[in-house]
């Protein structure tokens, strides 16, 4: 993965309740490929990550959704965790931020429960996508074609189901973001 993302600026959008490994592994992958990463969240300070249902580490927020400008980034990653996307989808600035990436045709990576925010942003209609299985009905109702595959790419949207899929997801987002 040498420096395939050298000069790229990647936003990671997350809030309290983010599944730690779904934040740290993709971040590590794009940073190892040369990208500069910023954590965007709904409030300043830090976010609380989780390892399934157990609290884990906190991570410093670089910029809030109110201040964030999608035009400053080359790509976006939405990690999962159950609470994280629920907080994001209720924040109008987070929804605007996500929608801006799709409007600009920029690549987006999303894993696990992360697609809930995409549903709120109304950007999944007509797209092929995967997620944690419990989101199937939500995504189908929003007009997506849900499939049960480790990683799915559809016009710049890279989606994955769960932590077990992280090796394939990380490789595919690096490829898509390059």
């Amino acid at each position: 993965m040498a420096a395939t993302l050298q000069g790229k600026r990647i936003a990671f959008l997350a809030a309290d309740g983010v599944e730690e490994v779904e934040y740290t592994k993709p971040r590590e992958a794009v940073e190892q490929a040369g990208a500069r990463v910023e954590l965007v969240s709904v409030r300043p300070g830090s976010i609380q990550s989780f390892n399934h249902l157990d609290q884990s580490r906190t991570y410093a927020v670089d910029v809030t959704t109110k201040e964030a400008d999608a035009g400053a980034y080359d790509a976006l990653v939405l990690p999962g965790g159950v609470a994280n996307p629920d907080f994001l989808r209720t924040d109008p600035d987070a929804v605007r931020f996500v929608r801006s990436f799709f409007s600009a045709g920029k690549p987006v990576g999303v894993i696990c429960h992360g697609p809930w925010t995409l549903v709120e942003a109304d950007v999944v209609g007509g797209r092929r996508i995967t997620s944690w299985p419990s989101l199937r009905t939500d995504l189908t109702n929003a007009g997506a074609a849900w499939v049960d595959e480790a990683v799915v790419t559809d016009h710049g949207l890279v989606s994955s189901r769960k932590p077990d899929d992280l090796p394939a997801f990380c490789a595919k987002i690096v490829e898509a973001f390059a």
Side-chain angles (χ1 to χ4, degrees):
M1 286 192 205
T4 57
L5 298 180
Q6 196 66 44
K8 301 276 187 181
R9 190 172 172 202
I10 313 296
F12 275 66
L13 178 60
D16 288 333
V18 66
E19 184 69 30
E20 185 173 44
V21 71
E22 293 173 1
Y23 169 66
T24 58
K25 291 297 181 186
R27 181 174 180 145
E28 180 180 286
V30 298
E31 285 179 334
Q32 285 180 352
R36 185 171 134 216
V37 171
E38 290 186 1
L39 176 58
V40 179
S41 193
V42 297
R43 60 178 171 71
S46 63
I47 61 169
Q48 176 67 58
S49 71
F50 279 73
N51 180 7
H52 193 54
L53 297 175
D54 299 320
Q55 280 190 350
S56 190
R57 296 181 50 203
T58 59
Y59 294 91
V61 172
D62 295 304
V63 63
T64 66
T65 53
K66 185 177 229 48
E67 304 162 327
D69 174 13
Y73 300 97
D74 297 293
L76 172 66
V77 176
L78 292 137
V82 179
N84 165 51
D86 203 46
F87 287 128
L88 294 174
R89 68 184 178 163
T90 61
D91 180 74
D93 293 316
V95 173
R96 171 200 49 80
F97 186 66
V98 167
R99 195 177 293 125
S100 295
F101 280 86
F102 285 86
S103 296
K106 293 182 179 184
V108 174
V110 64
I111 187 167
C112 199
H113 289 78
W116 266 337
T117 309
L118 301 183
V119 169
E120 191 65 32
D122 195 25
V123 295
V124 297
R127 290 184 180 268
R128 193 168 171 268
I129 192 169
T130 194
S131 68
W132 186 255
S134 65
L135 274 67
R136 178 182 187 164
T137 300
D138 298 315
L139 289 163
T140 302
N141 287 344
W146 187 89
V147 294
D148 185 11
E149 296 175 14
V151 66
V152 174
T153 304
D154 186 312
H155 296 91
L157 174 61
V158 178
S159 59
S160 210
R161 302 172 299 191
K162 57 189 174 183
D164 290 347
D165 299 333
L166 279 166
F169 178 69
C170 291
K172 189 55 82 173
I173 62 171
V174 168
E175 177 186 316
F177 294 175

